[in-house]
Amino acid sequence: MKISKTKYLLAVLTALVGLSLQQAQAHLLSAQQFTLASPLGSPTSENTYLINNGYLPATSQYLGKFNNDNTIENGAINIAQYVTVTMTSGSTWDISWDLTGSGFTLDGVLIKDGVEGPGNQLYRFYGVSSDEALIGSGTVTFDNPVKGISHISFFGSPGGQVPDGGTTAALLGLGLSGLAGLRAKFGRN
């Protein structure tokens, strides 16, 4: 049984359209751990410190915070509408986000423990790659040393909604499929 070129092309285009509709899932980058002699303080102070030390871009803003006592603090957005945090243990939390419609993309998250030895405050920063910052998930942890997480703060930049390449590719594929179908029906002239 021989498949015509048109049917083959139609099958390939259909497969490409299907693949283009899948959303890329973001992931957290490798953690950067640091200690400070005293706590950073407010989320605004955390944001300023992270910007001044090159962890976040200058456009980054505090989006919101989840505490280990299950309280939530909103920043630039209603954080619980766009982010889910599951405390799997005291030292490991699973997070997922979908910032579609929020006007922000995720730049990174910061977790804090408490005191690591005399007077040292333990922090871990997780960045998110800029091309995957709209939708994603990951796990944050204090695993070396194992410590409890006291809170997680989310930081993002306004605007910059990730372009919807999936819809564009799907429409292009459907249009090309239609042209291939017309060509098959009416033949070459």
Side-chain angles (χ1 to χ4, degrees), residues 25-29 83-88 92-97 106 109 111 126-128 132 135-141 149 152 154:
Q25 291 295 305
H27 63 279
L28 298 173
L29 302 177
V83 174
T84 302
V85 174
T86 304
M87 299 174 199
T88 55
T92 302
W93 296 2
D94 292 329
I95 61 173
S96 61
W97 61 93
L106 190 64
V109 299
I111 59 174
Y126 293 83
V128 178
E132 300 179 333
I135 300 170
S137 62
T139 299
V140 297
T141 187
I149 299 171
I152 182 169
F154 292 81

Side-chain angles (χ1 to χ4, degrees), residues 58-97:
T59 56
S60 196
Q61 296 180 28
Y62 165 66
L63 300 180
K65 175 178 169 180
F66 289 77
N67 297 301
N68 65 356
D69 63 0
N70 293 315
T71 59
I72 299 170
E73 300 174 28
N74 291 323
I77 61 174
N78 178 355
I79 195 73
Q81 181 179 346
Y82 300 100
V83 174
T84 302
V85 174
T86 304
M87 299 174 199
T88 55
S89 73
S91 62
T92 302
W93 296 2
D94 292 329
I95 61 173
S96 61
W97 61 93

